[in-house]
């Protein structure tokens, strides 16, 4: 005499491994077929079926025998497919959003690189002492006091040089724009 699915499910819910194995053997193909119909792709159906089988020992404790076991199992498969679709949609939206962020990041990086290229070209037009002062101040992010110590000049001289650099770079930019 064959044990009913409902009796096997009740036993499996109480921890009977043999009952669970029997249920799984009986219904694995049915779960896969429904998963395939819901996903439309064999690889997704296989993944979904494996996910369901892995989660089933915990879920079977929720089986109350108010409906046939197969009805309950189909609901589990449908819910799992819906969850997978939601996860996929979330990942797709996140990936699309990430693409936008990446494009903005690249645009900002290109702008920064262009600005740095301009600054390096413009620096070459400055006298050497101004180039040294600017290089130490910008690229190594040193304070005026630290730059003064490195260059052996007063902090006031470094401040004057930075003012002179700004004035000359502004004029250089204006000349470029006028061309």
């Amino acid at each position: 005499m064959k044990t009913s699915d409902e009796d096997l499910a009740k036993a499996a819910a109480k921890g009977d491994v043999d009952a669970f194995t029997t249920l799984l053997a009986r219904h694995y193909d049915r779960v896969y077929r429904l998963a395939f119909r819901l996903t439309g792709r064999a690889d997704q159906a296989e993944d979904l079926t494996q996910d369901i089988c892995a989660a089933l020992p915990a879920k079977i404790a929720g089986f109350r025998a108010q409906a046939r076991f197969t009805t309950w199992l189909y609901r589990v498969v449908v819910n799992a497919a819906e969850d997978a679709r939601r996860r996929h949609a979330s990942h797709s939206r996140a990936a699309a959003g990430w693409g936008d962020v990446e494009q903005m990041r690249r645009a900002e990086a290109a702008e920064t690189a262009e600005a740095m290229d301009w600054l390096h070209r413009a620096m070459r037009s400055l006298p050497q002492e101004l180039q040294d002062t600017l290089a130490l101040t910008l690229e190594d992010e040193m304070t005026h006091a630290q730059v003064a110590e490195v260059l052996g000049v007063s902090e006031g001289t470094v401040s004057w040089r930075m003012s002179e650099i700004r004035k000359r770079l502004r004029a250089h930019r204006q000349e470029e724009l006028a061309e």
Side-chain angles (χ1 to χ4, degrees), residues 35 38 61 78 96 147:
L38 292 169
V78 169
V147 171

Side-chain angles (χ1 to χ4, degrees), residues 63-81:
F63 177 67
R64 300 286 175 241
Q66 295 169 339
R68 289 184 24 216
F69 175 76
T70 52
T71 303
W72 176 85
L73 184 60
Y74 284 153
R75 187 76 238 154
V76 168
V77 176
V78 169
N79 288 343

Side-chain angles (χ1 to χ4, degrees), residues 1-177:
M1 180 169 153
K2 182 176 162 184
T3 308
S4 73
D5 290 339
E6 291 71 23
D7 289 339
L8 288 171
K10 288 176 190 173
K14 293 178 183 173
D16 185 336
V17 175
D18 291 333
F20 180 79
T21 303
T22 302
L23 272 177
L24 200 55
R26 278 186 194 174
H27 298 287
Y28 184 89
D29 289 342
R30 181 175 285 148
V31 168
Y32 173 81
R33 283 191 306 272
L34 179 56
F36 182 78
R37 287 191 305 271
L38 292 169
T39 63
R41 291 186 43 191
D43 60 330
Q44 290 177 355
E46 288 170 9
D47 290 344
L48 186 60
T49 302
Q50 290 303 312
D51 290 346
I52 292 166
C53 289
L56 208 51
K59 289 187 178 294
I60 205 159
F63 177 67
R64 300 286 175 241
Q66 295 169 339
R68 289 184 24 216
F69 175 76
T70 52
T71 303
W72 176 85
L73 184 60
Y74 284 153
R75 187 76 238 154
V76 168
V77 176
V78 169
N79 288 343
E82 287 174 4
D83 290 346
R85 280 192 293 271
R86 277 194 296 274
R87 277 193 310 275
H88 179 72
S90 290
H91 289 294
S92 293
R93 282 191 304 276
W98 180 252
D100 294 342
V101 169
E102 180 62 15
Q103 285 179 339
M104 287 188 305
R105 187 196 64 76
R106 288 182 183 185
E108 286 176 15
E111 268 182 45
T112 301
E114 186 178 319
M116 290 304 292
D117 287 345
W118 178 86
L119 182 59
H120 286 291
R121 284 191 315 274
M123 277 177 66
R124 288 192 286 275
S125 71
L126 298 172
Q128 191 61 52
E129 69 271 1
L130 295 181
Q131 286 184 39
D132 295 345
T133 303
L134 183 57
L136 289 169
T137 305
L138 289 180
E139 294 183 8
D140 290 335
E141 299 177 2
M142 297 174 76
T143 66
H144 288 197
Q146 292 169 324
V147 171
E149 187 178 330
V150 169
L151 296 176
V153 297
S154 73
E155 191 174 341
T157 300
V158 171
S159 295
W160 175 85
R161 286 180 179 177
M162 290 305 297
S163 176
E164 185 66 18
I165 289 166
R166 282 190 286 278
K167 183 174 82 176
R168 289 184 184 206
L169 291 178
R170 241 183 268 120
H172 184 74
R173 185 66 170 168
Q174 290 302 321
E175 288 173 17
E176 284 182 352
L177 293 174

